[in-house]
Amino acid sequence: MELFITRLLDGISNGAVYGFLALALVCTYRGSRALNLAQGEMAMICTFVVLSLHQAGLPLVVAILVGVVLGALGGALVERTLIRPLGRHAEYPVLLVTIGMFLALNALAGVIWGGDPRRFPSLVPNQPDDYVSVLGARLRYQEILVLAVLAVLVAVLYSLFRFTRVGLAMRVAASNPESAALLGIRVSRVNMSGWAIAGAVGALLGPLIAPSTTLTTTMFFNFLIYGLAAATLGGFDSPIGAVLAGLIIGVVENLAASYIPVIGDSLKLAVALVILLVVLMVRPTGLFGTREVARV
Amino acid sequence: MSNRRFPLQLDEGSRAHIALRLARAVLVVGVVCGLPYVLEPFRLGQVAAACVYAVVLVGLNLLSGFGGQVSLGHAAFFGLGAYITGVLTLTYGVPAPLAFLASVIGCFVVGALVAFPALRLRGVYIALVTLAVGLIFPSLVIRLDSLTGGSAGLFGVTWDPPDSAYFAGINGSTLWHFWLAVGGLGIAALVVRNLVRSRFGRSLLALRDNEAAAVVMGVNRAYTRTLVFGASAGIAGLGGAVFAVSSGILTPTGFSLLLTLYFLAGLVMGGPGSLWGPVFGGFLVYYIPVWASELTSSSSGASLAGVLLGVILIAVTFGLRGGLAGFLRASARRLVVLVPAVPRPDRSTAGPGTPAGRRDLQATDDRAAEASATPDDVRVPSTVGPDDAPRP
């Protein structure tokens, strides 16, 4: 039982990270129909900047806030300069451009900060005995922080989409860009704000997980596939779905790893693959996605 | 007057055209055969390594350039081919040629299996499935460590050169690896060329350009898509097998996501949907990192190469959809324009009133002439590549 609780909590805290990244992916996909493979690398660059600012003497919280603002500006800049000019129905060119960004940003971080892993300071106490005991299992302060931030973020985004004019405009622009444009909504600007939100979410995620993963240029490689699997399971255009799906994947993979001996810790990633495949085969729109219907 | 001489007009099938094609073939064969005598062994090894990349790109090009499906998992097929050859020759003592065959067949089967979920999916989702396969492969290798050597790697994969005077010297193995890589590249390129020109290839191009129309016209979508995925993976597996015997060392980290992205970048730079594009791409993607590390200190060279590749990939996506091959084709079109031959009416089926003057009509049709300026490259719009090949 204690093992079960431990694995469940591990799964939830891993799943929070996947949901976090999936949330960022969904924010760009909703508007631009662009799958941003470079999402993780953009977040990684922001995290390095945060560490550099912190080492230059800025308090960590301020550094993170600066990083988030930079992430938002970066996301908006990328949308304006690299994505929008490709047009709306340009899935492959957009994919290639984000792959180019992936390669360039990943390598750029290596050029600037070197390839060695770095320790990243935590916002909350992160010593071995800084944990809350839950039914005999340990929930670290750091993990609680990630969960709390994620919950707040989801609440903020949900209210933004649900209760504000901007959010309404974003939902219209996502579901029917042509009609939205006729209603006087500047669709491209709405898409740009989607990228800005995604950039900010990524920049917030990086400093939250860096204390436990250490800061390296490859820290987001595996999270990317989990984030994509979560976004797919959630339906790619539903922020709430993405977060829930992230939690589901985190829990399933951890339970599978501990109770199915063949999988073990080394094949956890395969669990995400299987979930991704099953979802795509059975229900490509995911749990909360909207089905796309097109006239041929 | 001198301005008017170009582009030269050549009739397809005329003596001048045949001579031009023959000259090109002789040039290629001559360069390949001459390289071992011109280059020092170290440089020859680099060329061989670039050829290995080119083999994989030829396979990827079949799927992405001609088939219009993006794959983010070709490093996995490359790695699978390498590991099949490595494990079979090292652990089971299988002769290398048989191991090569097993690599190709194994990758073909796995590729066809991956194609099944891809059949139901479109665009970005196919990319997701292949991305997942690509990311899983290294961890699968580590998991099956009793077979593959795990993260420590697999050492000493070789294919001894045949017992002949040509391969006898100190540099015999380098020469042998060079010829293996060139041979693999030649076979892969010929297979793709013939596939694309066959009925199967026309089905493939039709599916890429307008899937609904192609299916209505009777193209078997499932068969074509599965076969092309398998063939593409099989060719990548051949590249992996050559890589295994020429590098001798296999580690799971060598087949990571980055390698797949390098492959894709190489294909886009070289020119997807053309026959020479992947060859150019293989050399570009191999030599850009080499030059970067020769220009700078070796440690930051690899990183600098990544930045370069990424920036070039973005620039090519924006400005040069045909890649290097498309650019060269457009440049060649300024010098020589080919006038396509008119299909001769078959006497048994042609109606009595086939107009005799067709040929003249056709010959003045500039658009037709431009459209098939170089018949060796099938130039049709590609979703990954040359939507609008640059015009002179």
Side-chain angles (χ1 to χ4, degrees), chain B residues 21 25 28-29 54-55 58-59 61-62 66 182-198 235 238 274-276 278-279 376:
Chain B
R21 293 185 62 177
V28 170
V29 173
V55 174
V58 166
N61 184 37
L62 178 64
F66 294 119
V182 168
L185 180 57
I187 291 172
L190 276 180
V191 165
V192 168
R193 173 175 173 273
N194 291 343
L195 265 183
V196 169
R197 290 182 178 183
S198 68
I235 293 171
L238 176 67
S274 72
L275 292 173
W276 278 98
V279 180
D376 274 9

Side-chain angles (χ1 to χ4, degrees), chain A residues 250-271:
Chain A
V251 170
V252 168
E253 97 171 324
N254 268 288
L255 293 183
S258 65
Y259 289 106
I260 306 174
V262 188
I263 295 175
D265 275 341
S266 50
L267 274 191
K268 269 185 178 177
L269 205 59
V271 177

Side-chain angles (χ1 to χ4, degrees), chain B residues 40-63:
Chain B
E40 45 188 307
F42 169 64
R43 296 286 170 192
L44 196 65
Q46 289 184 331
V47 173
C51 284
V52 169
Y53 277 5
V55 174
V56 184
L57 290 190
V58 166
L60 183 61
N61 184 37
L62 178 64
L63 182 70

Side-chain angles (χ1 to χ4, degrees), chain B residues 117-159:
Chain B
L119 279 178
R120 284 194 56 181
L121 304 172
R122 316 179 62 88
V124 169
Y125 291 105
I126 298 175
L128 278 184
V129 171
T130 53
L131 175 71
V133 173
L135 280 172
I136 293 303
F137 181 75
S139 55
L140 208 59
V141 168
I142 296 174
R143 180 75 184 85
L144 302 172
D145 51 356
S146 57
L147 198 63
T148 61
S151 26
L154 207 60
F155 292 91
V157 189
T158 54
W159 181 356

Side-chain angles (χ1 to χ4, degrees), chain B residues 238-367:
Chain B
L238 176 67
V242 178
F243 175 79
V245 294
S246 55
S247 82
I249 307 166
L250 304 177
T251 53
T253 46
F255 306 103
S256 67
L257 175 64
L258 276 181
L259 186 63
T260 289
L261 300 187
Y262 270 44
F263 285 151
L264 207 60
L267 181 62
V268 174
M269 287 190 292
S274 72
L275 292 173
W276 278 98
V279 180
F280 297 146
F283 277 80
L284 282 174
V285 88
Y286 181 81
Y287 273 102
I288 287 177
V290 169
W291 288 329
S293 58
E294 278 176 7
L295 284 178
T296 60
S297 66
S298 59
S299 62
S300 67
S303 302
L304 195 65
V307 179
L308 270 178
L309 279 178
V311 171
I312 295 176
L313 178 58
I314 295 175
V316 168
T317 310
F318 270 92
L320 195 66
R321 288 281 172 86
L324 183 57
F327 175 73
L328 290 179
R329 199 157 47 217
S331 311
R333 208 174 296 142
R334 292 186 173 198
L335 298 178
V336 179
V337 167
L338 199 68
V339 182
V342 178
R344 296 249 175 83
D346 188 350
R347 277 179 191 280
S348 57
T349 55
T354 311
R358 270 293 292 288
R359 189 180 162 74
D360 301 325
L361 275 176
Q362 200 77 18
T364 52
D365 188 347
D366 277 340
R367 274 177 56 216

